[in-house]
Amino acid sequence: QVQLVESGGGLVQPGGSLRLSCAASGSIFSINVMGWYRQAPGKQRELVALISHADSTTYADSVKGRFTISRDGAKYTVLLQMNSLKLEDTAVYYCHLEYYTDYYGTLTQWGQGTQVTVSS
């Protein structure tokens, strides 16, 4: 019922920057939390950053000071600015949404993922 469209992934050299964007659409009454997770080959999916409806943010220790999550001017859009990228940041990045609908209550949705590759 709700879909997430991610963009902005790509190939970047160590120390470079990328900005990911996630746009949600569908039957959303309100957003609870939007965020980004990532999964590298052979590893479990891990939290990267979250932003709540009140714009409070949470970051993984590994990305603090380098990544910034924020809301775009467009409705239901979240950005992840990634600076000073490291090789270990290479992963598929997934947008995640926790939202509320009048009919179903609280639901979650995952995006399809966008590849971020940091390589020299």
Side-chain angles (χ1 to χ4, degrees):
Q1 193 170 21
V2 171
Q3 61 179 316
L4 303 175
V5 179
E6 301 131 320
S7 63
L11 175 65
V12 65
Q13 294 186 118
S17 298
L18 285 173
R19 185 172 67 182
L20 305 183
S21 177
C22 176
S25 62
S27 301
I28 302 172
F29 182 80
S30 63
I31 298 290
N32 294 336
V33 178
M34 289 189 74
W36 290 93
Y37 292 73
R38 67 186 182 188
Q39 187 166 21
K43 296 185 177 180
Q44 290 190 331
R45 183 180 59 201
E46 64 177 356
L47 171 69
V48 177
L50 297 173
I51 185 166
S52 75
H53 68 282
D55 289 333
S56 62
T57 57
T58 300
Y59 296 94
D61 289 339
S62 60
V63 307
K64 287 181 179 177
R66 300 189 297 119
F67 291 9
T68 302
I69 190 168
S70 63
R71 297 191 183 278
D72 195 276
K75 184 177 291 185
Y76 304 143
T77 298
V78 66
L79 304 176
L80 183 68
Q81 178 66 45
M82 305 185 294
N83 298 326
S84 302
L85 284 161
K86 304 175 180 179
L87 296 179
E88 52 264 41
D89 294 320
T90 296
V92 177
Y93 284 69
Y94 296 93
C95 184
H96 182 260
L97 169 68
E98 180 183 299
Y99 64 102
Y100 181 84
T101 68
D102 186 56
Y103 190 84
Y104 293 105
T106 301
L107 298 173
T108 62
Q109 183 66 270
W110 291 96
Q112 294 296 308
T114 184
Q115 177 71 49
V116 172
T117 302
V118 184
S119 176
S120 60

